[in-house]
Amino acid sequence: MPGPRVLLVVTGSIAAYKACEVVRRLQDRGVEVRVAMTRNAGEFVSPLTFAALSGHRVLVSSFDDERPERIPHVRWAEESDAFCVVPASADFIAKMALGIADDFSSTLHLAFAGPVLVAPAMEDQMWRHPAVRENVDKLSARGVVIVQPTAGPLASGRHGLGRLAEPPDVVDAIMEVLVTEPIERSLAGMRVLVSAGPTHEHFDPVRVLTNPSTGKMGYAVARAAARLGADVILVSGPTQIVEPAGVEIVRVVNAEEMRREMVDHTAAADIVVMAAAVSDFRPVAPVSEKLQKSAADAMSWEVERTPDILEELRRLGGRRTLVGFAAETSDLEARAREKLDRKGCDLMVANLVEAGVTGFEVDTNEVVILDRLGGRVPAGPAPKSDIAFTIIDAILGFRQRLGVASREKAG
Ligand code: C5P
């Protein structure tokens, strides 16, 4: 069966080169990509690059097509399943909002009737400009999926909000747009609480104790739960990744703040997933002024254990399903099983951490989902977005078996 087909419009932005990686990654996921570019985009990356990557002719003008017997924008629009603009400049977003069609890409937009996605990239003051805000709101109201830009260094060298979302995040968002079969809302009416990301334990205002977690796995679980119809609260440590749509985000910095938020929101939750990589230690006596480097070559700090949030949530009791993560570099299942028993949770997602391959800082993961009834579901290697759905399936499977087991006991 042929894979889904995406029309990728590349507009003029320094981030245009990142669209090359988006094309490659979409192809890795079985998607056929056709690229159209604005004239300005061609100043950043040559159409030839995208032609070589996509294996298709790249159109900039409606008059470039070699097959004039059919109007190209109509043909391309008919032959595609999604229209995605990556990166989207402020100018192109404005044209989309107004329905201006003065080049091939903007004409294609009007000729296309299916799902549309826009991944903006621009300087932060442009992104904050009321004209851009209004245009983006207009597109959102029309059902266009906006892949929110992230904060970081911009083309100008300044720091701010406006960087194109990272290619793997853009690809995940496009893959979601492409899912056309109605998805079963298996979590409708349920409340899901997820923690994600690292925590930052400050020594002083500029120095922290932390770990390399990006938050991607927890964000993927939150996004999947929202898509399956749950009310989702995501308690997030410091991260730089795209916020999932339709999820309430509570931002925290350190383990103590995460503990407080998780405890506050647990009572109302049916399912709690502790995907955060909480720092195990924190400085005993953080200071509020920047510490000056002393002349000494070495320094020592007293650190103490952070509160174990998962154990505290378990002590709160209740019938909710409690899910933990165990990141290990060896003896994966034995250690995870031991942790499942010790922490008293219902499921433990055992996660092999192998630098650059699976676990922290990468987009793929390989896990084994263990539960306290002896269940064992291996998953991956697969994108974290897919693993998230498998984790939720395993949680629902566990809840069903638990219901049956307790009914049998009662009977
Ligand atoms: O003991 P370990 O840190 O490996 O356990 C991992 C699990 O425990 C994860 O689900 C993590 O979110 C949770 N955890 C916690 N509080 C801590 C440390 C870890 O809830 N202080």
Side-chain angles (χ1 to χ4, degrees), residues 110-126:
L110 292 190
F112 185 74
V116 177
L117 172 146
V118 164
M122 63 195 76
E123 287 297 312
D124 62 345
Q125 68 274 33
M126 293 171 75

Side-chain angles (χ1 to χ4, degrees), residues 18-99:
K18 290 192 187 170
C20 300
E21 192 186 337
V22 170
V23 173
R24 268 270 179 269
R25 285 178 177 265
L26 282 171
Q27 288 169 331
D28 288 347
R29 313 255 308 245
V31 177
E32 191 181 337
V33 187
R34 256 199 210 185
V35 179
M37 297 173 78
T38 62
R39 288 232 174 272
N40 286 346
E43 300 290 328
F44 292 95
V45 181
S46 152
L48 195 61
T49 306
F50 286 108
L53 281 174
S54 69
H56 289 288
R57 199 173 154 70
V58 172
L59 285 196
V60 177
S61 156
S62 307
F63 311 109
D64 293 344
D65 199 26
E66 282 168 337
R67 293 172 52 195
E69 72 277 8
R70 285 184 68 200
I71 304 170
H73 61 261
V74 175
R75 178 160 50 82
W76 281 38
E78 280 171 0
E79 290 171 356
S80 304
D81 301 305
F83 178 92
C84 305
V85 190
V86 184
S89 63
D91 174 63
F92 199 79
I93 289 171
K95 280 194 204 175
M96 289 177 76
L98 283 172

Side-chain angles (χ1 to χ4, degrees), residues 392-408:
I392 291 175
D393 274 352
I395 296 171
L396 289 174
F398 167 79
R399 286 170 65 96
Q400 212 165 27
R401 277 184 289 123
L402 191 66
V404 172
S406 51
R407 273 198 300 278
E408 277 171 359

Side-chain angles (χ1 to χ4, degrees), residues 195 255 274-280 306-311 323-328 339 342-343 348:
S195 72
M274 257 319 279
V278 185
S279 175
D280 291 318
T306 52
D308 194 304
I309 304 171
L310 200 49
E311 285 193 28
V323 185
F325 272 68
E328 305 292 346
K339 223 166 255 186
R342 177 161 48 86
K343 300 209 178 207
M348 184 61 77

Side-chain angles (χ1 to χ4, degrees), residues 101-135:
D102 63 351
D103 66 357
F104 181 63
S105 298
S106 51
T107 310
L108 205 48
H109 166 234
L110 292 190
F112 185 74
V116 177
L117 172 146
V118 164
M122 63 195 76
E123 287 297 312
D124 62 345
Q125 68 274 33
M126 293 171 75
W127 178 245
R128 281 188 275 111
H129 195 283
V132 174
R133 300 262 48 81
E134 271 174 36
N135 289 334

Side-chain angles (χ1 to χ4, degrees), residues 329-356:
T329 50
S330 62
D331 275 344
L332 180 67
E333 281 194 52
R335 291 207 165 123
R337 185 63 69 195
E338 183 273 325
K339 223 166 255 186
L340 175 73
D341 295 339
R342 177 161 48 86
K343 300 209 178 207
C345 41
D346 299 301
L347 294 99
M348 184 61 77
V349 182
N351 187 172
L352 189 65
V353 178
E354 208 179 319

Side-chain angles (χ1 to χ4, degrees), residues 221-233:
V221 170
R223 185 176 283 121
R227 287 212 64 207
L228 295 170
D231 270 344
V232 183
I233 298 180

